[in-house]
Amino acid sequence: QKEVEQNSGPLSVPEGAIASLNCTYSDRVSQSFFWYRQYSGKSPELIMSIYSNGDKEDGRFTAQLNKASQYVSLLIRDSQPSDSATYLCAVTYGGATNKLIFGTGTLLAVQP
Amino acid sequence: NAGVTQTPKFQVLKTGQSMTLQCAQDMNHNSMYWYRQDPGMGLRLIYYSASEGTTDKGEVPNGYNVSRLNKREFSLRLESAAPSQTSVYFCASRGQGALLNSGYTFGSGTRLTVV
């Protein structure tokens, strides 16, 4: 069974702090990794993608990938109350890049 | 607006009734997907269509059928609804080639309740 694991949270951080969200996956041949943000009652929206080991930065967001450890993370700098949402990790599996497996998500709460 | 359009947004069914959830995308994407989302279970793939004319089962296909009507449209049918199918259903699409790495684009979802 191919799996994507996330801590369900809630992860509570004060406004202005760095939020660190983590994800592990079981399929060693996974090639593409995505982070989605989902506000309550809304659909998931893509915020970051990463394909190579290392860091990828986009504004306040940094995605980190370590394929040897089968680990991907998302850092949110200068967290804002508007960042409060569920963050979903998604991973391609089986070498077939058309399908994604999603983790169950981590609920982030940024306290003003 | 470009994107993925789902209808209806809300639906209440009685056990045993049938219905079809509609999905259309205008981004010229090859691949389309149906997911369900339940509390604590995350998004689970029901069916997908890698290209026009093809469909395949995902993780949880039982009780559902799909039709890839053309490149734009991918519908999900519940033939005999059961309370276990109460969920939020999302349709998504994905590009190909250079667009393959752009991730999925999701529709706004259908909240289905089966009583």
Side-chain angles (χ1 to χ4, degrees):
Chain A
Q1 180 72 17
K2 300 172 179 62
E3 295 181 342
V4 177
E5 300 284 346
Q6 294 181 257
N7 188 317
S8 62
L11 173 65
S12 182
V13 300
E15 184 174 356
I18 296 175
S20 178
L21 304 161
N22 304 314
C23 172
T24 60
Y25 59 94
S26 64
D27 188 356
R28 288 190 172 275
V29 299
S30 295
Q31 298 177 1
S32 303
F33 307 85
F34 303 90
W35 282 99
Y36 286 81
R37 178 176 61 201
Q38 186 175 26
Y39 292 112
S40 180
K42 302 296 185 182
S43 58
E45 57 177 322
L46 180 68
I47 54 172
M48 287 288 289
S49 59
I50 187 166
Y51 317 105
S52 304
N53 280 328
D55 295 359
K56 178 182 178 182
E57 186 175 320
D58 184 0
R60 295 187 295 113
F61 298 99
T62 299
Q64 300 174 317
L65 175 61
N66 184 325
K67 289 187 177 182
S69 301
Q70 295 175 246
Y71 178 90
V72 58
S73 65
L74 179 70
L75 301 178
I76 306 175
R77 291 181 299 281
D78 189 24
S79 295
Q80 301 297 309
S82 59
D83 294 325
S84 298
T86 296
Y87 289 80
L88 304 170
C89 174
V91 176
T92 57
Y93 69 93
T97 55
N98 268 338
K99 292 181 287 187
L100 297 182
I101 288 184
F102 287 82
T104 55
T106 297
L107 178 62
L108 174 66
V110 180
Q111 307 299 325
Chain B
N1 292 337
V4 179
T5 302
Q6 284 184 241
T7 55
K9 294 190 182 304
F10 301 92
Q11 184 71 49
V12 178
L13 289 179
K14 294 183 179 179
T15 297
Q17 286 186 317
S18 62
M19 78 162 295
T20 299
L21 282 63
Q22 306 288 351
C23 175
Q25 52 90 11
D26 59 4
M27 297 172 288
N28 200 34
H29 284 172
N30 275 355
S31 302
M32 298 185 73
Y33 310 82
W34 277 105
Y35 282 85
R36 61 178 289 175
Q37 188 173 36
D38 303 289
M41 301 292 288
L43 285 158
R44 292 182 292 168
L45 183 63
I46 305 172
Y47 270 95
Y48 68 101
S49 172
S51 61
E52 184 179 356
T54 68
T55 61
D56 283 289
K57 296 178 180 179
E59 293 176 76
V60 288
N62 291 343
Y64 305 95
N65 284 300
V66 290
S67 296
R68 184 73 183 266
L69 304 172
N70 47 55
K71 190 171 187 177
R72 292 186 63 248
E73 299 173 286
F74 187 39
S75 62
L76 179 71
R77 183 162 179 82
L78 286 70
E79 292 290 352
S80 179
S84 61
Q85 294 178 305
T86 294
S87 187
V88 180
Y89 291 85
F90 288 104
C91 178
S93 70
R94 193 175 186 191
Q96 60 281 339
L99 297 176
L100 192 64
N101 294 326
S102 61
Y104 290 1
T105 300
F106 282 88
S108 58
T110 296
R111 295 184 177 275
L112 175 67
T113 302
V114 183
V115 298

